[in-house]
Amino acid sequence: MSEQIFTTVGTRPIRHDGVDKVTGRANYGADLSLPGMLYGVVVRSPHAHARIRSIDTSAALAVPGVKAIITGQDVPLVDVKLGMGEGAMDLKDMSDNLLARTKALYHGHAVAAVAATSLAAARAAAKLVCVDYELLEPVLSVDRALEPGAPILHDDLVTQARPPIEATGPTNIAGRLELQRGDLAAGFAAADIVVERVFRTPTSHQGYIEPHACVARVNEDGRINIWTSTQGPFLVRDATAAMLGLDAANIKVTPSEIGGGFGGKIPVYLEPLAVVLARQTQRPVKMVMTRDEVFRASGPTSATKIRVKLGAKKDGSIVAASASLYYEAGAYRGSPSGAGAMCMFAPYNIPNFHIDAYDVVVNKPKVAAYRAPGSPMAALAIESAIDEIATTLGLDPVEIRLTNAVTEGNLAPYGPPYGPIGFRAVLERVKASDHWQTPVAPGVGRGLACGFWFNAGMSSSATVMLGSDGSAAVITGNPDIGGTRAAQAMMVAEELGIPVERVRPSVADTDTAGFTEITAGSRVCYATGMAVIEASRDVREQLRGRAAKIWGVTVDETRWEHGRVVPVTPSDARTPLTVPEIAAKLAKTGGPIIGRASVNPPMAGPSFAAHICDIQVDRETGVSKVVRYTAVQDAGKAVHPSYVEGQMQGGASQGIGWALNEEYIYSAAGVMENAGFLDYRMPVASDLPMIDALIVEVPHPGHPYGVRGVGEVPIVPPLGAVANAMSHATGLRFTELPLSPPRVLARLQQGT
Amino acid sequence: MSEQIFTTVGTRPIRHDGVDKVTGRANYGADLSLPGMLYGVVVRSPHAHARIRSIDTSAALAVPGVKAIITGQDVPLVDVKLGMGEGAMDLKDMSDNLLARTKALYHGHAVAAVAATSLAAARAAAKLVCVDYELLEPVLSVDRALEPGAPILHDDLVTQARPPIEATGPTNIAGRLELQRGDLAAGFAAADIVVERVFRTPTSHQGYIEPHACVARVNEDGRINIWTSTQGPFLVRDATAAMLGLDAANIKVTPSEIGGGFGGKIPVYLEPLAVVLARQTQRPVKMVMTRDEVFRASGPTSATKIRVKLGAKKDGSIVAASASLYYEAGAYRGSPSGAGAMCMFAPYNIPNFHIDAYDVVVNKPKVAAYRAPGSPMAALAIESAIDEIATTLGLDPVEIRLTNAVTEGNLAPYGPPYGPIGFRAVLERVKASDHWQTPVAPGVGRGLACGFWFNAGMSSSATVMLGSDGSAAVITGNPDIGGTRAAQAMMVAEELGIPVERVRPSVADTDTAGFTEITAGSRVCYATGMAVIEASRDVREQLRGRAAKIWGVTVDETRWEHGRVVPVTPSDARTPLTVPEIAAKLAKTGGPIIGRASVNPPMAGPSFAAHICDIQVDRETGVSKVVRYTAVQDAGKAVHPSYVEGQMQGGASQGIGWALNEEYIYSAAGVMENAGFLDYRMPVASDLPMIDALIVEVPHPGHPYGVRGVGEVPIVPPLGAVANAMSHATGLRFTELPLSPPRVLARLQQGT
């Protein structure tokens, strides 16, 4: 791809939605209230594993103001999948998760929902819903889940067990993926050094600031309106329709602003309940989770156990690798173990490897996607093992990775050969960075780790409207999580040669935007951006037609050049026309102009990242402090560098929190004991240094500007980077997260 | 145009917005409230004509809760026009009408505006705004306005006076239009009968149920949101921007549902005031007119004085016609006198004619458009004169009109030759109607009158989104006044071969819809409908591409047929694909589909109407009662016949009200004395019989389905039909409206 010249792309304009957001004017999920609205509250299981014998709602129904109570009996369980192939979403599980039918599978599992005229009445009634439970032993770890004789969560879960787990009846294994290449035994036989370790990561949560919230209204003619904080308004529409047996064409979903999602606002928890309650009561119903409910009943990411074995030559070249990944799915199948397996060795060209990955159900909330789902835990394992080999062999951590780094033409462990990728460029940038070139301070440990993410494609749509004043509006259907309004406006500005301030980006509802998949998979700037660019080019083509009309020539006699239409044959009578000049004559030349495009591109260009972490440990308390941190990443092309940097800084911050402190602490009964931000310890600004973000740009040839996704890969390296830094700071190898003060202190006191 | 076969067009589905509207769920202009919102109130002139010496706001500013007061000094008067050519809107006048700068030109003219934390505080403060006025004599009729020595409203109004009005200095004549054909003197000389009459119609109001209302918010970054009840959100945006010197690209206008407009919600009265108050206070500002304000300060239609002279042969053929039209413009130029002049003789093929039409300013509110602006008053004059000739000559009222009726190829009085038109078909339908064939009951008078309207084209846009479930959404920018959501959904359904219930029509804001001119001129179903049809066809073309991909053939090997894509060459391997079948494979074949189109068609096909009115008069009280009424009209093609009938019934009802009772009653000081629905007497359902609506369909070749506009022409015949019926009921010729009981009684008592 030849170097492109950009005018707007690569600059840093103020985001169009910025003022609304910083002044509190933007409306989030809980901000809407409608006349006559009821408040919906979910009744949740106080047991982690229990059979539901019966539910008595009579006392609750007697509470003044209560208008409806629903249980699993009110919503038939549907056995359908949404979407096709691997990415299909199992709505049967989602529906049973919505409202437990026969068993409560985790502490916090919804068993009923109440709608009342006030939140207080709804809460009072919820407490009076009497559920007769038969208690069962909870399964709280993959180890216990796989033990012979362990309680089985789903009696019908039989087909997925395969060797080495032998089973004739049902198991807790919901899925298994195996990847291999070459001759593993020969590879290890050829190795000069072999490292084998088992790593564990805890259940941790995305920690978005805004809890799940929605309002549903059912009109007398069956038309339904849902306002909700979601990453996917079209998914909410289609999943709600499928789960309730409704026609999606009768449902309009309006996405609110979204106060974070990170994958956790893809599943549907409240909307169908609100719709059923609204339908029963013929009044709008609002449902808002508390923070406690978000922790207990929305999807965290998997706790994992990962065994990795790595064999290398003395020069650091890896000759063999094997790994077994056990990822907790929570109560229903669907952990990101497969993605973890595919990502784990993706940065390295390893001739002989074997991976098996297990999706294991346990009595915890069903996991949800969390930023590069599955990859950070796998990276922790491989990056720690490489670090250990480098340390043992006395090799530079960057050099050993450069020795093994994949490059264009190498096969990805999951199959296809890589196209142009930026992993080597990222490692070279690390080497050249001020951070890497600055000697490690005394008492500080420095860790390096890398990471990989696929980035997604999928369907997206955009429309671009040109005004007669030469300004433009762009409409998409992706809730703006990471600054995508600004990025999309910039693409329109770039294509039309107009100032970005004169482009108005809007996120529209499902009746107004063209069909667009979820805001996830680092796909919005890539795939939706591609639709925006194509829609803008559709405008450009029409502008050529208008210029041709103005000049009295054919369209073929015009061409687009640097934001203007110019005649193919220069002429005094035909001076080049800018967009505002043509726009001013729209009415006279055939009316307004709308550009539109829809795309469904393949998977986006993969991105690689490398993070450097300097950490200091207080040996008396085990408290650690990140003192310097640098994130390097291949963005392909950074449309708005500030927001790419923001993604890198945000991903690093989340990963650091996950590495150092975040974890669900469970009681033996399976009750989360720290379901609040005071006890679930996320890093705040004062906990972290400024995170330096260094963008590398190796264009992705599948995108007009070379864009890769940027939102996810920055959370992949931090777990390994922090663990490696901690190892160098203490001389001890850490394999279990979080590296919280008690755990670090215990290891320091233990001395090994 | 060959007869088209329609599937959905011509049926009568339930309107998509029906339930929302009948259950009170639809949101109108005054329904929005925002946190921290202020209430804006306008201070209005208590004098019909006065120079503003000074305004003292100090006492008003001291009222607790008052946050801002603005006067004309706060908004510089801009001298710009919006749009081009004849249709350009004079924003200087609109701006001075918004807030009087140097003179109050009518009773109710805005002179200041107050924003306060409560409506009560704002109203209290408004009363304390002290304006020092120098009183001037008000000019309250065209007669007085044209008298030598009459007070002059605008000192700079000099250029528009032409013979026969001789003037060297400024006059009250704001415009004059002259139309002529043939040799008028020779024509009259050849006539066997000549009738000459002077007709007068009063100031009357559109009487929409919903008063003007808006909310404006100005963000810290200068971006502005306006929610308003308007016929033209893009016009509100562009006019507000132009009047306040702002960039229209920074203004987003969201149209509310609209409780009637009829042309009266085209001008901008409140929005710029709300924006200025919101900008000064940095809080949202809501402004809602009272009914009193709607009458006194929003645009009614012109009071008129029309002299007509008609010469005919004994067989009823009209050989000469002349007319002078004097239309009150209200305080600023811009009466529909020109349109009246162009429409007046439009139904008849008159070899010799002369018309001059005068736009005359008087001290009344600036007139606004009112349904077929200018045409009803002109029709009253010509239709009364024809009726008088028919009566005198003993000719049938239908036959005399058939004798003179224009047909394809005849020149319109305003220039071009008619294309295919339906006037003769309408008259034949009248003849064949049960009403016309039923003998007139004793004591009843029957009147016939006809009418003409151009119907408008202008710019419109539409986008159509196809869902993977085969449903579709259609977005336009026209507030739905007459059922246009349903009509647009029907067009999409027709084009895609899907049920209309599976099409979701939306009216979007100015950032989301493509540029679209106002909902007016009977243009929405025609012009915006054309955009909807073209956008649907854009979807169809893309569906052909998808089918080609599914079949592995080129697009040329597919064609569209009856809602399906079929292979050009039939094949067992390629069975025809319906829209839902292709839609289900959208993701696999390239992503979603959006269709888009923008159009700027020329003037739509003209429409003609003829109404039959049977009236009964109580000779003791002068009270009249319409006992039977039939409206016949050429719709071109009725997309949703119920809504075409509704337009015909609504137009007839408004016209009957105008003919019988509606009028502004002014005091000598120029104060309207009946500014409320109790005293301004509009007909209610119990006042009228069921109005029979007979649709004639002579397709307009300029539209894919043959659509003409339908909304305006039904108000054109009623004035004449009622007046003619009254004449036949009483034996007296009535030339002055309204035919209210006191006036009718006086004539009955007078006996001539």
Side-chain angles (χ1 to χ4, degrees):
Chain A
M1 180 178 281
S2 67
E3 188 76 9
Q4 291 188 66
I5 309 295
F6 292 106
T7 303
T8 302
V9 165
T11 65
R12 300 168 185 254
I14 291 173
R15 62 195 296 163
H16 298 67
D17 49 329
V19 169
D20 274 354
K21 285 179 174 166
V22 299
T23 59
R25 199 160 263 168
N27 288 312
Y28 290 83
D31 285 340
L32 181 74
S33 293
L34 295 178
M37 191 176 77
L38 302 179
Y39 297 82
V41 159
V42 175
V43 182
R44 299 187 180 279
S45 169
H47 308 296
H49 198 187
R51 199 170 306 281
I52 299 171
R53 287 205 194 97
S54 65
I55 303 179
D56 178 359
T57 59
S58 53
L61 277 167
V63 172
V66 170
K67 297 294 179 188
I69 301 180
I70 57 170
T71 68
Q73 306 314 310
D74 296 291
V75 187
L77 195 61
V78 294
D79 193 3
V80 294
K81 288 193 178 356
L82 191 64
M84 287 171 292
E86 283 299 308
M89 196 169 261
D90 190 330
L91 293 187
K92 184 182 171 200
D93 286 350
M94 193 185 273
S95 180
D96 199 53
N97 192 27
L98 203 66
L99 216 45
R101 301 315 200 282
T102 56
K103 274 173 97 178
L105 290 167
Y106 55 94
H107 179 263
H109 196 164
V111 292
V114 180
T117 50
S118 73
L119 189 55
R123 286 184 175 160
K127 286 187 187 146
L128 296 177
V129 171
C130 258
V131 186
D132 180 13
Y133 291 105
E134 176 194 341
L135 299 197
L136 304 171
E137 184 202 323
V139 176
L140 297 172
S141 69
V142 292
D143 293 331
R144 176 61 184 144
L146 300 182
E147 278 173 9
I152 296 297
L153 271 69
H154 301 279
D155 291 340
D156 58 349
L157 195 60
V158 288
T159 57
Q160 302 291 336
R162 282 198 255 166
I165 311 291
E166 297 289 349
T168 51
T171 73
N172 290 319
I173 301 174
R176 178 166 178 273
L177 179 76
E178 200 170 357
L179 299 171
Q180 52 193 330
R181 175 189 296 164
D183 181 337
L184 194 69
F188 277 118
D192 295 322
I193 176 173
V194 172
V195 163
E196 182 167 8
R197 292 274 185 188
V198 175
F199 294 84
R200 288 178 186 272
T201 65
T203 301
S204 65
H205 198 275
Q206 299 85 349
Y208 32 84
I209 298 300
E210 182 203 22
H212 300 263
C214 72
V215 178
R217 192 176 74 184
V218 179
N219 276 14
E220 286 74 0
D221 58 355
R223 290 186 187 263
I224 295 168
N225 285 270
I226 300 173
W227 295 263
T228 184
S229 176
T230 180
Q231 291 179 237
F234 286 92
L235 187 147
V236 170
R237 181 191 70 179
D238 295 344
T240 300
M243 285 193 273
L244 300 180
L246 302 171
D247 181 355
N250 280 338
I251 303 178
K252 177 166 110 173
V253 177
T254 305
S256 68
E257 291 297 336
I258 178 168
F262 310 107
K265 283 189 184 150
I266 299 172
V268 169
Y269 299 111
L270 298 175
E271 295 85 347
L273 301 180
V275 167
V276 173
L277 289 169
R279 193 168 53 185
Q280 283 200 9
T281 58
Q282 283 294 306
R283 291 170 67 168
V285 173
K286 181 177 191 164
M287 299 186 80
V288 181
M289 282 195 193
T290 62
R291 177 63 55 191
D292 185 273
E293 287 179 290
V294 172
F295 272 114
R296 294 188 200 281
S298 77
T301 192
S302 306
T304 67
K305 173 185 169 185
I306 301 177
R307 184 196 57 77
V308 65
K309 182 178 171 188
L310 222 54
K313 306 290 276 185
K314 279 187 183 146
D315 67 353
S317 58
I318 301 169
V319 289
S322 74
S324 296
L325 285 63
Y326 300 89
Y327 279 47
E328 290 182 8
Y332 301 92
R333 79 188 67 204
S335 79
S337 52
M342 290 191 276
C343 291
M344 189 166 180
F345 300 156
Y348 304 110
N349 197 20
I350 304 175
N352 309 292
F353 69 75
H354 178 271
I355 309 181
D356 51 1
Y358 296 89
D359 182 22
V360 182
V361 292
V362 296
N363 291 116
K364 295 184 181 176
K366 160 92 173 74
V367 301
Y370 179 16
R371 217 169 181 164
S375 189
M377 311 79 141
L380 166 69
I382 177 81
E383 295 296 317
S384 293
I386 292 177
D387 192 72
E388 195 169 347
I389 288 173
T391 304
T392 308
L393 295 176
L395 298 172
D396 178 82
V398 177
E399 294 301 340
I400 189 173
R401 287 173 172 86
L402 274 169
T403 300
N404 294 287
V406 288
T407 187
E408 185 172 359
N410 290 157
L411 287 181
Y414 49 88
Y418 288 115
I421 49 173
F423 189 33
R424 290 179 163 273
V426 164
L427 289 169
E428 294 294 348
R429 187 71 190 86
V430 168
K431 267 170 76 173
S433 70
D434 180 71
H435 189 168
W436 194 253
Q437 297 201 342
T438 303
V440 184
V444 169
R446 175 170 296 168
L448 175 76
C450 300
F452 164 88
W453 188 247
F454 315 94
N455 300 320
M458 305 198 293
S459 293
S460 278
S461 303
T463 38
V464 174
M465 258 74 65
L466 184 69
S468 59
D469 60 355
S471 73
V474 54
I475 318 299
T476 65
N478 280 121
D480 178 357
I481 298 188
T484 50
R485 280 191 188 87
Q488 287 159 1
M490 291 171 76
M491 295 180 197
V492 175
E494 186 70 47
E495 292 298 319
L496 298 184
I498 60 177
V500 69
E501 295 76 19
R502 292 183 61 77
V503 183
R504 303 178 298 284
S506 297
V507 176
D509 61 61
T510 56
D511 273 8
T512 312
F515 180 80
T516 295
E517 297 275 7
I518 53 178
T519 296
S522 300
R523 62 177 295 280
V524 180
C525 191
Y526 169 69
T528 307
M530 202 180 290
V532 170
I533 292 168
E534 286 192 18
S536 303
R537 290 179 180 179
D538 183 22
V539 170
R540 271 170 32 175
E541 283 307 294
Q542 295 178 63
L543 285 169
R544 281 180 60 208
R546 302 305 175 89
K549 205 163 184 177
I550 293 166
W551 289 333
V553 302
T554 66
V555 175
D556 292 342
E557 294 175 79
T558 70
R559 62 189 168 84
W560 184 266
E561 187 186 272
H562 305 318
R564 310 182 305 175
V565 180
V566 301
V568 171
T569 313
S571 148
D572 284 351
R574 298 193 287 272
T575 51
L577 293 167
T578 63
V579 171
E581 284 165 352
I582 305 174
K585 294 183 179 172
L586 285 184
K588 296 276 185 192
T589 56
I593 288 181
I594 304 178
R596 55 89 180 93
S598 290
V599 300
N600 188 8
M603 210 165 255
S607 47
F608 293 85
H611 289 194
I612 316 165
C613 174
D614 285 5
I615 214 163
Q616 210 166 17
V617 182
D618 181 329
R619 302 184 73 93
E620 289 184 8
T621 61
V623 170
S624 59
K625 186 162 180 60
V626 175
V627 292
R628 187 168 183 184
Y629 200 99
T630 298
V632 184
Q633 178 177 330
D634 173 21
K637 177 68 198 176
V639 173
H640 192 306
S642 297
Y643 300 148
V644 174
E645 291 161 7
Q647 290 291 331
M648 293 164 70
Q649 290 159 335
S653 303
Q654 285 193 309
I656 292 168
W658 190 351
L660 288 179
N661 286 297
E662 296 181 40
E663 64 176 321
Y664 274 43
I665 297 170
Y666 276 98
S667 74
V671 178
M672 183 188 182
E673 295 186 318
N674 60 333
F677 279 146
L678 281 177
D679 299 314
Y680 181 94
R681 179 82 169 81
M682 289 177 68
V684 296
S686 56
D687 290 320
L688 297 175
M690 179 65 190
I691 291 166
D692 293 315
L694 305 176
I695 300 171
V696 169
E697 293 185 328
V698 176
H700 167 44
H703 184 278
Y705 299 164
V707 164
R708 298 173 191 274
V710 298
E712 290 170 290
V713 78
I715 204 176
V716 181
L719 278 56
V722 168
N724 289 340
M726 189 70 85
S727 295
H728 296 299
T730 61
L732 304 167
R733 182 59 52 184
F734 288 86
T735 58
E736 189 165 355
L737 301 187
L739 302 178
S740 55
R743 177 169 287 142
V744 171
L745 187 60
R747 285 290 301 281
L748 286 170
Q749 288 170 343
Q750 186 185 332
T752 61
Chain B
M1 177 177 284
S2 67
E3 187 76 9
Q4 292 188 65
I5 308 295
F6 292 106
T7 303
T8 302
V9 165
T11 65
R12 300 168 185 255
I14 291 173
R15 61 196 294 165
H16 298 67
D17 49 328
V19 169
D20 273 355
K21 285 179 174 166
V22 298
T23 58
R25 200 159 262 166
N27 289 312
Y28 290 84
D31 285 341
L32 182 74
S33 292
L34 294 178
M37 190 176 78
L38 302 178
Y39 297 82
V41 159
V42 175
V43 181
R44 299 188 180 279
S45 169
H47 308 295
H49 198 187
R51 199 171 307 280
I52 299 169
R53 287 203 193 98
S54 65
I55 303 179
D56 178 358
T57 60
S58 53
L61 276 168
V63 172
V66 169
K67 298 294 179 188
I69 300 181
I70 57 171
T71 69
Q73 306 313 309
D74 296 289
V75 187
L77 196 61
V78 295
D79 193 2
V80 294
K81 287 192 177 2
L82 191 62
M84 287 172 293
E86 282 300 307
M89 193 169 261
D90 190 329
L91 293 187
K92 184 181 172 200
D93 285 350
M94 192 185 275
S95 179
D96 199 54
N97 191 27
L98 202 68
L99 217 44
R101 301 316 201 280
T102 56
K103 272 174 98 179
L105 290 166
Y106 54 94
H107 177 263
H109 196 164
V111 293
V114 180
T117 51
S118 73
L119 189 54
R123 285 183 174 160
K127 286 186 188 148
L128 296 176
V129 171
C130 258
V131 186
D132 180 13
Y133 292 103
E134 176 194 341
L135 300 199
L136 304 170
E137 182 201 327
V139 177
L140 297 172
S141 68
V142 293
D143 292 332
R144 176 62 183 144
L146 300 182
E147 278 174 8
I152 295 296
L153 272 69
H154 301 279
D155 291 341
D156 57 349
L157 194 60
V158 288
T159 57
Q160 302 292 334
R162 284 197 254 164
I165 311 293
E166 299 288 349
T168 50
T171 73
N172 290 319
I173 299 175
R176 180 166 177 272
L177 178 77
E178 199 170 358
L179 298 172
Q180 52 194 333
R181 176 190 295 163
D183 182 336
L184 193 68
F188 277 118
D192 296 320
I193 176 174
V194 173
V195 164
E196 182 166 8
R197 292 274 185 189
V198 175
F199 294 85
R200 289 178 186 272
T201 65
T203 301
S204 64
H205 198 275
Q206 300 85 349
Y208 32 84
I209 299 300
E210 183 203 20
H212 300 263
C214 71
V215 178
R217 192 176 74 185
V218 179
N219 276 13
E220 286 74 0
D221 59 354
R223 290 186 189 263
I224 295 168
N225 284 270
I226 300 172
W227 294 262
T228 184
S229 177
T230 179
Q231 292 178 238
F234 286 92
L235 187 147
V236 170
R237 181 192 69 179
D238 295 344
T240 300
M243 284 192 275
L244 300 181
L246 302 171
D247 181 354
N250 280 338
I251 303 178
K252 176 164 110 173
V253 178
T254 305
S256 68
E257 291 297 336
I258 178 168
F262 310 106
K265 283 189 185 150
I266 300 172
V268 170
Y269 299 111
L270 298 175
E271 295 86 346
L273 302 181
V275 166
V276 173
L277 289 169
R279 192 169 54 186
Q280 283 199 9
T281 58
Q282 283 293 305
R283 290 170 68 167
V285 174
K286 181 176 192 165
M287 299 186 81
V288 181
M289 282 196 191
T290 61
R291 176 65 53 190
D292 185 274
E293 286 179 290
V294 171
F295 273 113
R296 294 188 200 283
S298 76
T301 192
S302 304
T304 67
K305 172 185 169 186
I306 301 176
R307 184 197 56 76
V308 63
K309 183 178 171 189
L310 222 55
K313 306 288 277 187
K314 279 186 182 144
D315 67 353
S317 58
I318 303 169
V319 289
S322 74
S324 295
L325 285 64
Y326 300 89
Y327 280 46
E328 290 181 6
Y332 302 91
R333 78 187 69 203
S335 79
S337 53
M342 290 191 275
C343 292
M344 189 167 181
F345 299 156
Y348 304 110
N349 198 20
I350 303 175
N352 309 290
F353 68 76
H354 178 272
I355 308 180
D356 51 1
Y358 297 89
D359 181 24
V360 182
V361 293
V362 296
N363 291 116
K364 296 184 181 177
K366 160 93 170 74
V367 301
Y370 180 15
R371 217 168 180 164
S375 189
M377 310 80 139
L380 166 71
I382 176 79
E383 295 296 316
S384 294
I386 290 177
D387 191 72
E388 195 169 349
I389 289 173
T391 304
T392 308
L393 295 176
L395 297 173
D396 177 84
V398 177
E399 295 302 338
I400 189 173
R401 288 175 171 86
L402 274 169
T403 300
N404 294 288
V406 287
T407 187
E408 185 171 358
N410 290 158
L411 287 181
Y414 49 88
Y418 288 115
I421 49 173
F423 188 35
R424 288 178 165 273
V426 164
L427 289 169
E428 293 295 347
R429 186 71 190 86
V430 167
K431 267 170 74 175
S433 70
D434 179 72
H435 189 168
W436 195 253
Q437 297 201 341
T438 302
V440 185
V444 169
R446 174 170 297 167
L448 176 76
C450 299
F452 164 90
W453 187 247
F454 314 96
N455 301 320
M458 304 198 291
S459 294
S460 278
S461 303
T463 39
V464 174
M465 259 73 67
L466 184 68
S468 58
D469 60 355
S471 72
V474 54
I475 319 298
T476 65
N478 280 121
D480 178 359
I481 298 188
T484 50
R485 280 191 188 89
Q488 286 159 1
M490 291 172 75
M491 295 180 196
V492 174
E494 186 70 47
E495 293 298 319
L496 298 184
I498 59 177
V500 68
E501 295 76 19
R502 293 184 59 77
V503 183
R504 302 178 297 283
S506 297
V507 176
D509 61 60
T510 56
D511 273 8
T512 312
F515 181 80
T516 295
E517 297 274 8
I518 53 179
T519 295
S522 301
R523 61 176 297 277
V524 180
C525 191
Y526 168 69
T528 307
M530 202 180 290
V532 169
I533 292 168
E534 286 192 17
S536 303
R537 290 179 180 179
D538 184 21
V539 170
R540 272 172 28 176
E541 283 306 295
Q542 295 178 62
L543 285 169
R544 282 179 62 209
R546 301 305 174 91
K549 206 164 183 175
I550 291 167
W551 290 333
V553 302
T554 66
V555 175
D556 292 342
E557 294 175 79
T558 69
R559 63 192 167 82
W560 183 266
E561 186 186 273
H562 305 318
R564 310 181 305 175
V565 180
V566 300
V568 170
T569 313
S571 147
D572 285 349
R574 299 193 286 273
T575 52
L577 293 168
T578 64
V579 170
E581 285 166 352
I582 306 173
K585 296 185 176 168
L586 285 184
K588 296 275 185 191
T589 56
I593 289 181
I594 304 178
R596 56 86 181 93
S598 290
V599 300
N600 188 8
M603 211 165 256
S607 48
F608 293 85
H611 289 194
I612 317 165
C613 174
D614 285 6
I615 215 162
Q616 210 165 16
V617 182
D618 182 329
R619 303 184 74 92
E620 290 182 8
T621 61
V623 171
S624 57
K625 184 159 182 64
V626 176
V627 293
R628 187 167 184 185
Y629 199 99
T630 299
V632 184
Q633 179 177 329
D634 173 20
K637 176 68 199 175
V639 173
H640 192 307
S642 297
Y643 300 149
V644 174
E645 291 162 6
Q647 290 291 330
M648 292 165 71
Q649 291 161 335
S653 303
Q654 285 193 308
I656 293 168
W658 190 351
L660 288 179
N661 286 296
E662 297 181 41
E663 64 177 322
Y664 274 44
I665 297 169
Y666 278 97
S667 74
V671 178
M672 183 188 182
E673 295 186 317
N674 59 334
F677 279 146
L678 281 177
D679 299 313
Y680 181 93
R681 178 81 171 82
M682 289 177 69
V684 295
S686 56
D687 290 322
L688 297 175
M690 179 65 191
I691 291 166
D692 293 315
L694 304 176
I695 301 171
V696 169
E697 293 186 327
V698 176
H700 167 44
H703 184 278
Y705 300 164
V707 165
R708 299 173 190 274
V710 298
E712 290 170 290
V713 77
I715 204 176
V716 182
L719 277 56
V722 168
N724 289 341
M726 189 70 87
S727 295
H728 296 299
T730 61
L732 303 168
R733 183 57 56 182
F734 288 88
T735 57
E736 188 165 355
L737 300 188
L739 302 178
S740 54
R743 177 169 287 143
V744 172
L745 187 62
R747 286 289 302 282
L748 286 169
Q749 289 170 342
Q750 189 186 330
T752 60

